[in-house]
Amino acid sequence: MDKDHPIGIFDSGVGGLSVLRALRAELPGEDFVYFSDAGHAPYGERGDAFVSQRSLAIAVDLLAQHRIKGLVIACNTATAAAVHLVREAAVDLPVVGVEPALKPAAALTKTGHVAVLATRGTLASAKFKSLHDSLRAQAEFVLQPCDGLAAAIEADDQDLVRALCRRYTKEVCCFGTGAGEIDTLVLGCTHYPFAANAFAEVLGPHIQLVETGKPVARQTRRLLQAQGLLNAAGTGSVQWQTTGEPQALRAAASRWLGL
Ligand code: DGL
């Protein structure tokens, strides 16, 4: 591994840009390669075998094509299905995964009630179950799968995004800041921060939204530092790769990251 090499990041599509945004802020001297697997999205409704096979193929590709020095799996669904497999397959590669921010949410909630929105795949995974089990004593978590929401964000269909945010938050009872009400919402899919305005519109200003970009960026810094792989001489450049429509990725990168 060479510290001048880029950090690889992948997601099923544009959701990982919410993590890339935090990584570029935390590590301005690094260069990045962003891989969007939009040609095979959404991952959340596909099942573990498919997502694991894609995650391994992408890790191998990023290593071979770009000689990445570290990998951020900027997708909760892929992390739940495959982070252990990627670590087994690439033992020398520092790998950071993402998981829904239940722990920060448990620390933030005042009512002790938290809603977790994520993909069906993430919520059904053994990894998520063990995270949830470890925090049951600290807060009450209501889990809500959001079929179609990542795809609507991917397609930048704002009307559908708003409709799905309304529908899924309605299914979770009940938001508010009173006793027994849910005052904290975990955005447990990296696409969902890009629907934060739509959630805030439905829920009002008193419900806290929690995402994982910043903690993941800090963890990436720690891991690279521990291995002597931090770079201060890069320019924050991003190389782009996608199995989907380059135009959709380009538009999202410009819209959300100004790139
Ligand atoms: N962005 C992904 C996640 O964090 C998944 C979206 C999807 O492809 O379903 O779970």
Side-chain angles (χ1 to χ4, degrees):
M1 300 294 155
D2 186 324
K3 69 177 184 181
D4 297 339
H5 290 182
I7 299 170
I9 301 158
F10 82 87
D11 177 46
S12 64
V14 298
L17 294 175
S18 64
V19 179
L20 177 62
R21 184 166 60 186
L23 282 165
R24 292 182 80 236
E26 175 75 25
L27 299 165
E30 299 287 351
D31 296 305
F32 301 91
V33 186
Y34 187 92
F35 190 116
S36 154
D37 199 19
H40 301 98
Y43 280 179
E45 293 135 57
R46 293 265 192 171
D48 277 6
F50 181 84
V51 174
S52 298
Q53 178 241 319
R54 287 305 306 152
S55 300
L56 284 167
I58 293 166
V60 167
D61 185 89
L62 287 170
L63 272 165
Q65 306 290 328
H66 300 279
R67 300 171 61 215
I68 55 168
K69 65 174 179 183
L71 177 65
V72 179
I73 304 182
C75 174
N76 293 267
T77 314
T79 300
V83 68
H84 57 294
L85 302 174
V86 173
R87 286 191 176 125
E88 265 166 41
V91 278
D92 294 331
L93 184 70
V95 177
V96 179
V98 302
E99 64 183 11
L102 271 62
K103 217 172 174 178
L108 277 172
T109 177
K110 294 203 170 64
T111 62
H113 292 260
V114 172
V116 183
L117 268 50
T119 68
R120 194 164 285 283
T122 297
L123 296 179
S125 69
K127 201 165 185 301
F128 180 80
K129 188 179 180 311
S130 98
L131 174 70
H132 184 198
D133 286 347
S134 73
L135 293 164
R136 274 179 204 276
Q138 296 181 34
E140 176 89 19
F141 296 97
V142 178
L143 314 181
Q144 176 63 46
C146 300
D147 291 351
L149 181 54
I153 293 167
E154 194 71 32
D156 194 30
D157 183 339
Q158 291 303 327
D159 290 341
L160 185 55
V161 168
R162 269 195 291 274
L164 291 174
C165 289
R166 214 170 299 125
R167 172 170 150 202
Y168 290 129
T169 48
K170 219 167 166 184
E171 281 180 29
V172 173
C173 193
C174 298
F175 284 97
T177 51
E181 291 181 324
I182 297 168
D183 66 350
T184 306
L185 173 62
V186 174
L187 302 177
C189 165
T190 54
H191 280 70
Y192 301 171
F194 296 125
N197 287 344
F199 282 119
E201 233 172 73
V202 182
L203 298 173
H206 301 299
I207 306 302
Q208 328 181 66
L209 307 182
V210 189
E211 56 162 300
T212 33
K214 280 186 191 147
V216 168
R218 285 196 293 267
Q219 172 63 6
T220 306
R221 168 188 284 284
R222 276 193 292 272
L223 203 61
L224 292 177
Q225 199 154 28
Q227 306 210 12
L229 287 171
L230 269 186
N231 187 14
T235 59
S237 74
V238 186
Q239 298 177 67
W240 305 97
Q241 202 170 329
T242 181
T243 54
E245 275 298 317
Q247 184 45 36
L249 180 58
R250 205 172 291 138
S254 144
R255 187 164 55 241
W256 292 322
L257 273 73
L259 288 172

